[in-house]
Amino acid sequence: MTARTPLTTLDAVVEFVLFVRDDGFTALRATTTADGAALTAVGPELAGARPGEGLRLTGRWTQHRRHGEQFTVEECERHPPAGVPAIRRYLGSGLVRGVGPLLAQAITDRFGEDTLAVIDRDPGRLAEVYGIGERRTRRITESWQAQKTIKELMQVLRGHGVSPLLAEPIHRAFGEDSLKTVAEDPYRMVGEVDGIGFPAADRIALHSGGALDSPARLEAAVWEVCSVRARRAGHCHLPAEEAVKEASALVEQDPALLREAAARLTVGRGAPLAAEEHPVTGAPLLAPRALRRAENKLARALAALATAESDLPEPVRRRVAAGQFGEDLHPGQREAVRMALTHPVSVLTGGPGCGKSHTVREIVELVRAGGGSVTLAAPTGKAARRLAELTGARALTVHRLAADPAATDEEGESGALFGPRTTMVHLIVIDEASMLDVHLAARLAAQIPPGTHLLLVGDTDQLPSVGPGAVLADVLRVPGIPRTELTHVFRQARDSTITANAHRIRAGQLPELRRADFWFAELDDPKEIARTVVQIATSRLPAKLGADPADVQVLCPTRRGAAGTVELGRLMQERLNPRQENEPEFWSGSRVFRVGDRVMAARNDYAKGEAGIYNGTLGTVVNLDLKDSALEVLTDDGEQVAYDFTELDDLIHAYAVSVHKAQGSEFPHVVAPITLDAPLLLTRSLLYTLVTRARSTVVLVGQPRALRQALETPGPTRNTLLAHALAAQLDGSAQGESGLADVDLD
C-alpha cells in the first residue's frame, strides 16, 4: 500500500473553475499567495468557489492518472478576495448582478481594497463611480445580499451533508425565507425546488433533530411518492396501498402511520391529494388533486367537442359525403379523411412512411377549398414549420395554441383564441399527439369552441409524454371516439433503412445493423462507449459524410451514468466548445455556459420571443454578458432571446439530450449510446422513438444485450383515469345526464 502524503495547508486565490459535478465535487485552478505558483485543487469542499476568492486549503498532494499532480482538499476556509486584482476578478465574474469586468475595474479604481466593504456597508457610495445610478446601485446591492445568503445556505447544506449546489435553487424558490425554510420546514422543499427530493430534505430535517415519526416527515414521504415520483413515471394516480407501502419503506415506519398521513393530505378543500375509488376495480386511489382536475376537465371538454354539431362549411361536408376527394389516396388514407371531416373529434395514427402527413395535407386542402379555415399545431417550432410548409396552412406550437394569455382565465376554462364564430377555425390538427400530457391537453381542449373539428395525429408506439398522463393512448381506449390507423408503408419509405428498421423495432425484431445509414458499434464498457460516441459525433461521422458536427445529435436513454446526457454532454462540450483564455464563461451549479454552446429550453416561457419559448426549443448561445448577468440564445426558429443568470435552470446543454427531450424533433444524424446503466428505461418505445428522430443516419454504440433488452421490453404503462372519465361523459351525454368526470375536486 502506498503511504499517504502528509496534510498540507496553503493559502490560494481562485483563478478559474475547471469542473463541477452535481454533488459539488469541484476542480479549479488557483495560485498560491505565498509565491504565485499555479495548482489544481479538487474536492467537494470547493463547491461554489468563484474567481478571485481567497481560500485556505488543507489537504494532500496526489497524482492523477490523466491530469497529473493535484491538491486534494479535505478542509477549506473561504476568505473575501484580498488585493485589488483579486477583488476585480471576483466582482467581474458574473457573481454580482449589474457588474461585469469593465465596471468591476471602474469600481476598484475608485475604492481600491475598500471596495467590498463599501458594497456591503455603504452601497450608496457606488454612485461616485461614473455610470452607476440609483437603479444599478439597487441591483448590485440586492445581488450582493442574495450572494451572502446563498453562501450561508451553502455552509448550512454542507453541514447537513447535502450538496451546496442546491443553495441557489433554494434561494430562487424562497428568497429571503431560504435559511428559515431550511431550518424550520425543510420538507416544504419537496417538489418545490429542483434537485430537492425527499431524501435531501429528510437528511436536513433528521440532522437538525427531527423525529422519525413526525407528521411532517410522514406526510412529505407520501407526497414524494404520490406526486414527485408518480409524476416522474407519468402516473396520474397510484393505488393507495401501493403508495403507502412505498412511503413506508422510504421512511422505515409502520404503514399504519403512513395511512394516517395520507388521510390528512386528503382532508379539506385545499388538500393536495384526492382519495377516490377506481371506477372499475373499486380499489382506493391517491392522486394529486391538480392532476385529477386536469383529467376531468379534459374529459368534459373532449366530450363537449365530440357531441357538438359540426360547424364545417356545407361545401366541405357535401364533397366528403360524395367521396369527391383524394383519388390518389390509399384506401386507409381516404377513410381517414372521411373520418376527420365527419366526426368532430377523431384520431389518426400510424408508423413512419405510412402517409400521415400526406393525409393531413389532403384534409387541409379539402377544408380550405370549401371555404373553411384550419389551424395546425405541433410540439416544437421546427415541427410546426415543417407542418406549415407541407400544408400551406397556419401552424403553431401546441403550447402557444393552448396557452394564449388573452384566451384563458387562470383555470384555462374559457377563452376566445379562435375568435367569434363568424371567423372561427373549423378544423384543428394536433400532430405528434403522443407528446400531449394531461395538463397541456386540458388547457388546449378548453380553448376550442364546440363545432370545431379536432383531429389528433400521432404514433402510439412513440414514448408517452414527458409530463403525466397518456392522452393519446387513453383517447384511443374510448370506443366512442373514431380512429383510423394507417398501416400501408409506401414504396419510397420502404427504401429507407431507418423507416424499415423502425417498423422492425415496432414488431420487436432486431433491426438491420450493418447498413450505410444505420449501424451498431458493439462495445461493453460504458466509459469506452461514451468516448466512442463523442469521437463518432464530433469527428468520424462528420468526416465520413462531409457533415457539420452541428447536424449530429447525441441522444441518450438516461441522464445518469458514464454514457448519460450529463457526462456525455460535458465531454462533447470539452471537444466542441472548450474554455478559451480571456473569453467569458459563467458557472451555474455544475454547468458552465459559453458563447457557442448548444442549448435547449427545459421549460415553457410565454414571455420570451414573439410567441413564447417552449420546452424542447433548440438554440445556440450567441452572447454572454457578465455585467448584465445574462446570456442570449439564437433559437433554431430564428429568434434571439435573453436569459438572466437566475433563469439558467430553464436551459440545458443540448450536446447530448435524452430521448424524451428529443420527442417532436428531427435531426439529420443521430448517435446514441445503448447501455444497461438504466435498465428500466430501456424499452421498445424508447428505441423506436430514438430511431425515428433521425432523417439520414443512425449510429448505435453499446452493448448487444442492452439492445436485446430494449427490443424485448414493451413501453411503460401509466396509471390514468382519462379513458374512464371520457367514456362516462360520452355515455352521460347520450343519456342526457352527467357521468364520472363531473366529480368536483375543487
Side-chain angles (χ1 to χ4, degrees):
M1 180 181 293
T2 304
R4 298 179 73 190
T5 58
L7 279 173
T8 302
T9 297
L10 52 85
D11 293 313
V13 176
V14 180
E15 294 293 325
F16 55 86
V17 176
L18 289 167
F19 170 83
V20 183
R21 210 164 56 196
D22 284 349
D23 62 2
F25 182 91
T26 300
L28 55 80
R29 292 287 287 174
T31 55
T32 60
T33 54
D35 56 11
L39 63 93
T40 298
V42 299
E45 297 296 321
L46 299 172
R50 294 283 182 176
E53 192 171 12
L55 306 175
R56 170 157 286 184
L57 306 175
T58 300
R60 305 175 194 273
W61 290 103
T62 58
Q63 194 72 23
H64 190 277
R65 179 173 54 85
R66 285 177 57 202
H67 303 298
E69 188 177 56
Q70 298 179 339
F71 192 75
T72 300
V73 177
E74 298 183 14
E75 294 180 17
C76 174
E77 294 179 25
R78 295 160 189 264
H79 304 286
V84 171
I87 294 172
R88 183 178 299 149
R89 191 158 58 247
Y90 185 70
L91 283 182
S93 68
L95 175 75
V96 180
R97 184 177 173 83
V99 180
L102 292 179
L103 192 56
Q105 179 168 339
I107 294 172
T108 52
D109 285 348
R110 176 67 184 84
F111 300 115
E113 294 193 359
D114 295 331
T115 294
L116 299 185
V118 168
I119 296 173
D120 196 37
R121 295 191 286 271
D122 194 8
R125 290 191 62 194
L126 289 172
E128 298 174 20
V129 179
Y130 179 77
I132 298 183
E134 183 179 338
R135 182 179 176 187
R136 175 154 285 168
T137 297
R138 187 167 57 250
R139 288 175 67 195
I140 293 172
T141 304
E142 289 173 354
S143 179
W144 180 259
Q145 293 304 318
Q147 287 302 319
K148 288 176 66 176
T149 301
I150 289 169
K151 282 193 172 185
E152 287 185 65
L153 270 174
M154 284 184 162
Q155 284 297 110
V156 170
L157 295 176
R158 194 178 283 111
H160 290 307
V162 174
S163 172
L165 297 183
L166 294 172
E168 290 195 38
I170 291 172
H171 187 269
R172 279 194 291 273
F174 299 108
E176 294 178 357
D177 294 330
S178 299
L179 288 165
K180 182 179 178 182
T181 300
V182 172
E184 299 178 6
D185 192 10
Y187 293 116
R188 184 182 167 195
M189 297 185 290
V190 177
E192 290 195 40
V193 179
D194 286 340
I196 295 272
F198 178 83
D202 196 42
R203 179 187 290 268
I204 295 169
L206 295 182
H207 196 265
S208 302
L212 291 171
D213 60 352
S214 72
R217 182 173 191 249
L218 302 180
E219 289 170 18
V222 173
W223 182 248
E224 165 86 3
V225 170
C226 292
S227 180
V228 180
R229 298 188 182 190
R231 286 169 182 262
R232 198 179 299 144
H235 299 310
C236 292
H237 69 264
L238 288 177
E241 277 306 302
E242 177 185 320
V244 165
K245 182 179 179 181
E246 187 173 344
S248 175
L250 191 61
V251 294
E252 298 181 336
Q253 295 294 304
D254 188 334
L257 295 176
L258 278 303
R259 288 190 193 93
E260 294 172 4
R264 290 194 296 272
L265 292 175
T266 65
V267 175
R269 187 174 182 84
L273 290 182
E276 297 184 51
E277 291 185 354
H278 194 282
V280 175
T281 67
L285 306 176
L286 289 172
R289 196 169 291 267
L291 282 174
R292 289 297 294 122
R293 283 199 207 101
E295 285 190 304
N296 287 335
K297 183 187 299 184
L298 177 55
R300 288 194 296 269
L302 288 177
L305 291 174
T307 56
E309 183 178 345
S310 170
D311 275 337
L312 276 180
E314 186 60 31
V316 177
R317 285 188 272 180
R318 283 200 304 267
R319 289 188 62 184
V320 172
Q324 297 173 351
F325 61 87
E327 297 300 328
D328 63 332
L329 296 180
H330 188 271
Q333 294 175 301
R334 285 181 59 83
E335 176 54 34
V337 174
R338 184 179 289 106
M339 171 197 70
L341 300 180
T342 303
H343 300 279
V345 176
S346 59
V347 182
L348 172 62
T349 65
C354 291
K356 294 194 300 295
S357 297
H358 186 67
T359 304
V360 168
R361 181 170 61 189
E362 183 71 21
I363 293 169
V364 169
E365 290 176 353
L366 187 54
V367 172
R368 297 179 79 184
S373 59
V374 180
T375 290
L376 301 102
T380 66
K382 264 189 172 181
R385 279 206 310 275
R386 288 198 306 269
L387 206 53
E389 292 166 359
L390 176 72
T391 62
R394 181 189 187 207
L396 310 172
T397 63
V398 176
H399 297 85
R400 179 76 278 160
L401 190 62
D404 191 306
T408 87
D409 59 21
E410 63 181 7
E411 286 294 320
E413 288 282 7
S414 61
L417 179 61
F418 307 107
R421 295 178 75 81
T422 54
T423 59
M424 72 173 290
V425 173
H426 296 94
L427 170 68
I428 296 171
V429 180
I430 307 298
D431 198 14
E432 299 272 11
S434 62
M435 292 180 63
L436 290 175
D437 65 46
V438 67
H439 287 300
L440 178 58
R443 289 199 301 271
L444 174 64
Q447 300 278 12
I448 304 173
T452 297
H453 281 232
L454 173 65
L455 174 63
L456 301 176
V457 182
D459 185 344
T460 54
D461 290 302
Q462 300 273 3
L463 282 171
S465 57
V466 175
V471 173
L472 182 63
D474 282 346
V475 171
L476 286 168
R477 289 170 53 206
V478 180
I481 302 295
R483 78 289 312 275
T484 299
E485 181 182 7
L486 301 180
T487 57
H488 176 75
V489 182
F490 289 88
R491 182 176 61 81
Q492 184 177 358
R494 286 199 301 268
D495 292 340
S496 162
T497 305
I498 292 174
T499 298
N501 275 344
H503 284 278
R504 292 177 69 86
I505 291 168
R506 286 180 89 194
Q509 300 171 356
L510 188 70
E512 296 183 32
L513 301 173
R514 292 292 183 267
R515 302 293 293 269
D517 56 353
F518 198 117
W519 76 88
F520 182 41
E522 295 185 12
L523 292 170
D524 192 63
D525 176 41
K527 291 185 178 180
E528 181 62 26
I529 290 168
R531 287 192 290 269
T532 302
V533 165
V534 172
Q535 291 170 1
I536 291 173
T538 61
S539 57
R540 287 162 56 181
L541 191 61
K544 176 184 173 71
L545 301 177
D548 187 331
D551 289 334
V552 182
Q553 181 63 53
V554 173
L555 301 181
C556 305
T558 179
R559 287 188 72 246
R560 302 296 178 186
T565 60
V566 174
E567 186 59 27
L568 266 174
R570 198 189 313 274
L571 294 173
M572 295 277 291
Q573 185 185 36
E574 287 176 7
R575 179 72 67 92
L576 295 174
N577 194 26
R579 180 182 183 277
Q580 300 289 333
E581 194 70 35
N582 299 322
E583 290 296 324
E585 63 178 30
F586 182 77
W587 282 89
S588 176
S590 61
R591 303 172 302 150
V592 60
F593 288 87
R594 302 180 181 118
V595 172
D597 277 339
R598 191 78 172 136
V599 293
M600 174 186 280
R603 289 185 181 84
N604 303 325
D605 189 332
Y606 306 121
K608 291 191 186 297
E610 291 184 8
I613 295 297
Y614 305 101
N615 191 345
T617 299
L618 286 160
T620 303
V621 177
V622 292
N623 185 39
L624 198 154
D625 191 330
L626 296 177
K627 174 174 70 70
D628 288 333
S629 300
L631 57 78
E632 290 181 319
V633 175
L634 179 63
T635 73
D636 286 0
D637 299 327
E639 287 192 275
Q640 194 156 318
V641 295
Y643 280 85
D644 189 272
F645 285 172
T646 61
E647 300 176 305
L648 293 183
D649 281 351
D650 294 351
L651 285 179
I652 59 174
H653 287 86
Y655 294 105
V657 299
S658 69
V659 179
H660 249 125
K661 285 287 187 185
Q663 282 179 275
S665 296
E666 190 178 66
F667 311 98
H669 315 286
V670 166
V671 181
I674 304 293
T675 74
L676 289 169
D677 280 352
L680 295 180
L681 296 177
L682 280 179
T683 65
R684 192 181 307 153
S685 57
L686 180 136
L687 184 61
Y688 175 74
T689 305
L690 185 162
V691 166
T692 53
R693 297 311 90 204
R695 282 199 304 272
S696 302
T697 312
V698 173
V699 182
L700 305 178
V701 183
Q703 302 158 336
R705 62 187 185 280
L707 181 61
R708 287 194 300 271
Q709 173 164 320
L711 291 169
E712 294 167 0
T713 308
T717 58
R718 294 184 165 186
N719 298 333
T720 65
L721 293 176
L722 175 61
H724 300 289
L726 179 54
Q729 281 287 337
L730 292 173
D731 289 345
S733 297
Q735 298 168 16
E737 58 187 34
S738 63
L740 171 70
D742 282 326
V743 174
D744 184 3
L745 291 168
D746 293 328

